[in-house]
Amino acid sequence: MIQSLLSRPVQKVPDSVRFAGRVLFLAEDPDVVRRQLDGEDIPFDPSAPVGSSAHPALRDNISTDEITPAYICYYFDETLGDFPYLGLKCGEEFPIVRGSVRKGNFVASVSGKRRGKGSSREQSPYAEMMAGIRLVIAENIERIYRENCQNLGVFTSTDFDLIDRVRRGEEIPLSEFTAHEGGITRGIIEYGGLFNYNVARLQGKVEVPTVATPPRPMTIAEKIFARHWVVDAAAGEIGIPAVKPGDQGFVLTDIRFSHEYVTPMSAIFFEQLVGPDEPVNDPSSVFFFRDHLTFLDQVMRPEHREMGLLDVANQLEAKQRTFAEAKGIRLYGQLDKRLNLHGAITAAGSEAICHSKILEAHALPGQIIIGSDSHTPHAGAVGCVAFGVGTTAIFNSWITRDVRVEVPKSFKVVVRGEKPANITAKDFMLEILRHPYIRNGEAIGQIIEYAGEAVSALSVDERATMTNMAAEVGAFTGIIAPDQKTVDYLVRQRGMSESDARELCAGLYSDEGAEYVKVIEIDAASLRPMIALPGDPGNGMYVDELPGEVTIDIAYAGSCTAGKKEDMDMYARVFSEALSRGEKVAPGVRCFIQCGSREVFQYCQERGYDGVFDAVGATFIEPSCGACINAGPGVSRTRDDVTISAINRNFPGRSGPGQLYLASPYTVAASAIAGRIVEWHAEGETHDVASELANV
Ligand code: SF4
């Protein structure tokens, strides 16, 4: 507990609010936008025909990428106020330039359907707020963007009648923004944001709605929520008998982590709102990672370099590092440059990608883990509830150690039977992602629980591929109940005693009669190697169904999803087989292997995999997110480049402008050798990787 906050004056915002400033309509017509930036207040009459001069058509589907493109997110302070809507595409033009919104004295921003879709980046509403926008009005607003607005104190509404009232300078009752909200959200709006609300909560000034769900059969995730439920934050009272979907409250976290894209902005919030010299609550359970941008200097576009963005991006590293040092927080940082097998100096990588290290070294069954990244569910492979949150939620968790939740509904995917030898967890996921329940968006925000013999047969590394890709499902998180494989993993990986590991897993299973809104069954034995066509991980099909030959230019084997020890075993197996046949990476194909952590890198060195990768013609690079986030070797350069990749998502532009196919580690490695997308077939069940490697 940060004592100074207990005596900090905190009060609700006034009962009514007046928005003094202009209204900016984010219109489809770039001229309409430009005229407003030049000072004209355009008419807006919703009863007039759409597209007429009295009712300009508004942009729908404005993503957070358009509000703040990724390179803008290298900024992490009020400078962001120069940039809102820089990526806004109106027709074929981008009418908004640096500083134009801030100069225009706008206080409200209006658009059409699905405002704020896409990534959870809080830089978007923060950039708007720093440019003067205090109210966002849209036909409908995406959940995470809306929560981020509320957490920051930016008002949101779907009521277009507010536009004229804002323009007339009317006092608008606060109740108009809180009327349909639950107790916690209402409180956050009334206190002007999550931070003030939390200060008031810690001081006992707000009553968090009580949850009194009677005992009921629960899923494993619900049990974990119930164990961590905050009953009285001030008294440290934690845990209730049961929860059900829809219950709202706060849960105590065991681990909180963030990476360099988010930590600096959270740190600025902490320093400004809490105080630069105040301590972080329980720093031993907070972790920082320098993992996303360590290779950025190798791939940054020249025009961005000329804008000075490399220096700006490097500030992210510096800010995170100095904040970690000041607060005594463990930082998994950037590696020094080192020599490769040929004695050349390699670029510096990262100690570890956040998800990889959290699973390798920290996550335990039954924990609640929050991270500043959508793939935080990775750690659900050992039976935790792990989920991604925004910047303000991370910063608040440094104060309170807890996080706001609404218990999600759960659905179950049962993978039965025995999988063929060339099928992996990635193939399971590409099959699951093309299921109509997922493709139609019905799973959004739910918890996906994986079960069945084929899941039980997977190692923890492979299970992590499935929980990691709960992000692509659109789920709140993914989880697998711990079992003997989990116990063995904790003993082997963490040096834990078997009895301690078993004790951690006690009671962590879903009860008979637990509630699932949907159960999907998959027969593992019927699966064949999968591929996801460019554009979306849900574009799955069997490799043997590809309509024609797909030649490749790049094979990328790495990331948090596919840079684990078992993934390396798979790449090494396929490549060592190729070498024994006298084959190498196909001419014209660039192949990259990138581990999730130094621990995995050393594992490869101990087994001689680095020699295999080198001999086969693949480039073995230091750990980092790299090409997965369009920031390292393996990115495409042109629209015509074709990549096969073991990463988790292939949205347009994710890894460069080219066409990106997703596949399993086996398929990626086999395709690198063939020079086109092919399946891999095991060379018999008695295949001995170790002896083949000895012959390399
Ligand atoms: S490897 Fe890719 S998916 Fe994983 S944390 Fe990094 S950027 Fe995100």
Side-chain angles (χ1 to χ4, degrees):
M1 180 71 73
I2 297 170
Q3 290 301 319
S4 65
L5 294 181
L6 297 180
S7 54
R8 171 85 58 96
V10 61
Q11 54 194 17
K12 291 183 177 180
V13 299
D15 287 344
S16 63
V17 55
R18 188 198 308 270
F19 298 94
R22 300 172 60 213
V23 177
L24 174 63
F25 296 90
L26 301 175
E28 283 182 4
D29 183 343
D31 283 336
V32 171
V33 175
R34 266 192 293 267
R35 276 165 39 212
Q36 296 177 82
L37 298 177
D38 289 342
E40 180 181 338
D41 286 324
I42 60 163
F44 189 82
D45 176 4
S47 63
V50 177
S52 65
S53 59
H55 187 179
L58 297 174
R59 265 293 317 273
D60 293 329
N61 294 308
I62 296 178
S63 70
T64 51
D65 273 299
E66 286 184 89
I67 300 172
T68 46
Y71 65 91
I72 296 304
C73 299
Y74 301 156
Y75 293 95
F76 54 88
D77 58 16
E78 59 274 9
T79 315
L80 279 164
D82 281 355
F83 300 106
Y85 318 127
L86 228 61
L88 185 77
K89 200 168 179 198
C90 303
E92 289 306 308
E93 299 178 41
F94 299 88
I96 295 184
V97 297
R98 180 172 185 168
S100 56
V101 176
R102 198 176 229 164
K103 265 191 241 144
N105 190 30
F106 296 106
V107 71
S109 160
V110 181
S111 61
K113 296 183 180 67
R114 299 200 64 181
R115 168 69 164 255
K117 68 187 292 196
S119 91
S120 61
R121 67 182 63 150
E122 199 168 314
Q123 285 93 339
S124 295
Y126 188 67
E128 294 174 285
M129 188 172 85
M130 285 296 112
I133 303 293
R134 294 177 59 214
L135 170 62
V136 167
I137 300 174
E139 279 182 57
N140 42 51
I141 303 173
E142 296 282 307
R143 183 185 64 83
I144 294 180
Y145 172 80
R146 189 161 163 268
E147 277 184 15
N148 284 339
C149 286
Q150 291 163 348
N151 286 346
L152 287 167
V154 174
F155 293 95
T156 60
S157 179
T158 55
D159 179 4
F160 277 60
D161 290 342
L162 284 177
I163 294 169
D164 281 342
R165 297 169 69 191
V166 169
R167 285 180 149 176
R168 288 195 297 266
E170 251 183 49
E171 288 277 345
I172 298 169
L174 198 66
S175 58
E176 297 201 19
F177 299 102
T178 60
H180 303 293
E181 302 292 353
I184 294 175
T185 305
R186 190 164 58 241
I188 290 170
I189 295 170
E190 287 172 351
Y191 274 93
L194 181 62
F195 171 70
N196 280 341
Y197 175 82
N198 268 331
V199 173
R201 181 168 67 97
L202 294 174
Q203 293 178 3
K205 288 184 175 161
V206 294
E207 260 185 46
V208 177
T210 308
V211 169
T213 300
R216 60 189 282 275
M218 287 190 288
T219 65
I220 173 179
E222 289 164 355
K223 287 180 178 180
I224 294 170
F225 278 132
R227 286 182 185 182
H228 289 77
W229 206 261
V230 176
V231 179
D232 184 337
E237 195 183 333
I238 307 296
I240 54 176
V243 295
K244 63 178 185 322
D247 285 344
Q248 288 189 0
F250 288 81
V251 288
L252 191 69
T253 61
D254 297 288
I255 292 173
R256 300 153 282 164
F257 72 88
S258 52
H259 51 62
E260 79 267 43
Y261 249 126
V262 170
T263 309
M265 195 165 137
S266 295
I268 295 266
F269 288 173
F270 189 92
E271 288 166 350
Q272 289 176 347
L273 295 170
V274 182
D277 300 324
E278 292 291 354
V280 162
N281 187 341
D282 190 23
S284 66
S285 61
V286 178
F287 301 97
F288 294 161
F289 294 87
R290 162 68 167 162
D291 53 5
H292 276 56
L293 302 173
T294 59
F295 286 93
L296 186 65
D297 60 337
Q298 294 191 10
V299 296
M300 182 173 267
R301 285 159 47 185
E303 62 270 29
H304 286 170
R305 202 179 280 267
E306 280 163 23
M307 285 168 65
L309 287 179
L310 189 57
D311 293 336
V312 175
N314 287 337
Q315 288 304 310
L316 293 168
E317 187 278 331
K319 179 66 189 174
Q320 177 171 253
R321 180 166 35 78
T322 52
F323 189 78
E325 285 164 6
K327 304 299 176 195
I329 291 167
R330 171 75 163 96
L331 165 67
Y332 289 95
Q334 185 163 319
L335 297 168
D336 293 333
K337 293 186 190 296
R338 61 189 69 236
L339 299 180
N340 68 14
L341 280 176
H342 305 289
I345 295 176
T346 65
S350 165
E351 267 188 86
I353 299 173
C354 52
H355 311 302
S356 307
K357 185 50 68 181
I358 290 293
L359 180 59
E360 282 173 0
H362 301 290
L364 292 172
Q367 287 185 329
I368 294 227
I369 297 175
I370 58 170
S372 66
D373 193 278
S374 61
H375 291 100
T376 301
H378 191 88
V382 289
C384 341
V385 170
F387 55 98
V389 296
T391 310
T392 298
I394 280 285
F395 138 65
N396 274 266
S397 79
W398 296 344
I399 304 165
T400 63
R401 271 196 68 192
D402 60 20
V403 66
R404 159 196 183 195
V405 293
E406 175 173 335
V407 176
K409 295 170 182 166
S410 291
F411 77 106
K412 185 152 71 171
V413 174
V414 182
V415 191
R416 300 208 183 285
E418 190 176 341
K419 69 175 185 63
N422 62 350
I423 293 299
T424 70
K426 174 59 76 55
D427 299 291
F428 290 174
M429 284 313 301
L430 295 182
E431 176 69 21
I432 291 166
L433 285 163
R434 69 171 170 165
H435 191 284
Y437 188 71
I438 316 293
R439 282 192 66 94
N440 295 341
E442 290 173 78
I444 288 175
Q446 298 180 352
I447 293 174
I448 179 167
E449 182 178 324
Y450 302 103
E453 309 93 80
V455 175
S456 301
L458 294 177
S459 67
V460 167
D461 271 5
E462 279 282 83
R463 292 176 185 185
T465 298
M466 299 188 75
T467 51
N468 177 293
M469 292 185 71
E472 280 60 50
V473 169
F476 176 86
T477 192
I479 191 166
I480 297 171
D483 58 9
Q484 186 58 41
K485 285 258 173 66
T486 321
V487 170
D488 294 344
Y489 178 84
L490 294 173
V491 170
R492 189 179 64 251
Q493 178 70 25
R494 308 277 181 82
M496 207 177 267
S497 74
E498 173 128 0
S499 60
D500 284 351
R502 279 187 188 288
E503 203 174 314
L504 279 174
C505 302
L508 292 176
Y509 54 83
S510 293
D511 293 328
E512 190 73 36
E515 189 183 323
Y516 297 98
V517 291
K518 174 85 177 170
V519 177
I520 294 171
E521 301 218 9
I522 289 171
D523 173 17
S526 70
L527 295 179
R528 312 199 296 276
M530 298 278 305
I531 195 97
L533 303 178
D536 195 283
N539 294 340
M541 63 165 52
Y542 293 130
V543 172
D544 61 24
E545 291 173 341
L546 276 169
E549 186 170 291
V550 180
T551 55
I552 59 167
D553 305 290
I554 301 168
Y556 179 80
S559 80
C560 55
T561 324
K564 302 176 256 69
K565 290 175 184 171
E566 188 156 342
D567 299 309
M568 296 297 141
D569 292 341
M570 292 190 239
Y571 305 130
R573 178 174 184 174
V574 177
F575 288 148
S576 62
E577 286 175 1
L579 287 170
S580 66
R581 296 192 302 268
E583 295 174 359
K584 290 189 164 199
V585 169
V589 174
R590 287 168 283 144
C591 178
F592 301 91
I593 315 280
Q594 192 160 31
C595 302
S597 69
R598 270 306 287 177
E599 182 175 326
V600 177
F601 195 88
Q602 282 159 2
Y603 171 88
C604 291
Q605 289 176 317
E606 285 159 16
R607 278 157 185 74
Y609 292 172
D610 54 343
V612 175
F613 300 151
D614 191 57
V616 86
T619 306
F620 189 41
I621 39 183
E622 295 284 350
S624 192
C625 293
C628 179
I629 190 73
N630 200 11
V635 295
S636 58
R637 292 293 186 194
T638 71
R639 285 185 182 203
D640 296 332
D641 279 341
V642 177
T643 301
I644 186 157
S645 176
I647 65 175
N648 43 33
R649 53 179 52 161
N650 59 346
F651 299 134
R654 172 76 186 179
S655 199
Q659 302 157 54
L660 190 124
Y661 292 76
L662 297 181
S664 76
Y666 283 140
T667 303
V668 169
S671 302
I673 300 298
R676 58 194 169 84
I677 295 178
V678 295
E679 298 177 359
W680 170 76
H681 292 282
E683 291 184 354
E685 295 300 319
T686 56
H687 186 92
D688 181 354
V689 179
S691 65
E692 276 187 5
L693 291 176
N695 293 330
V696 170

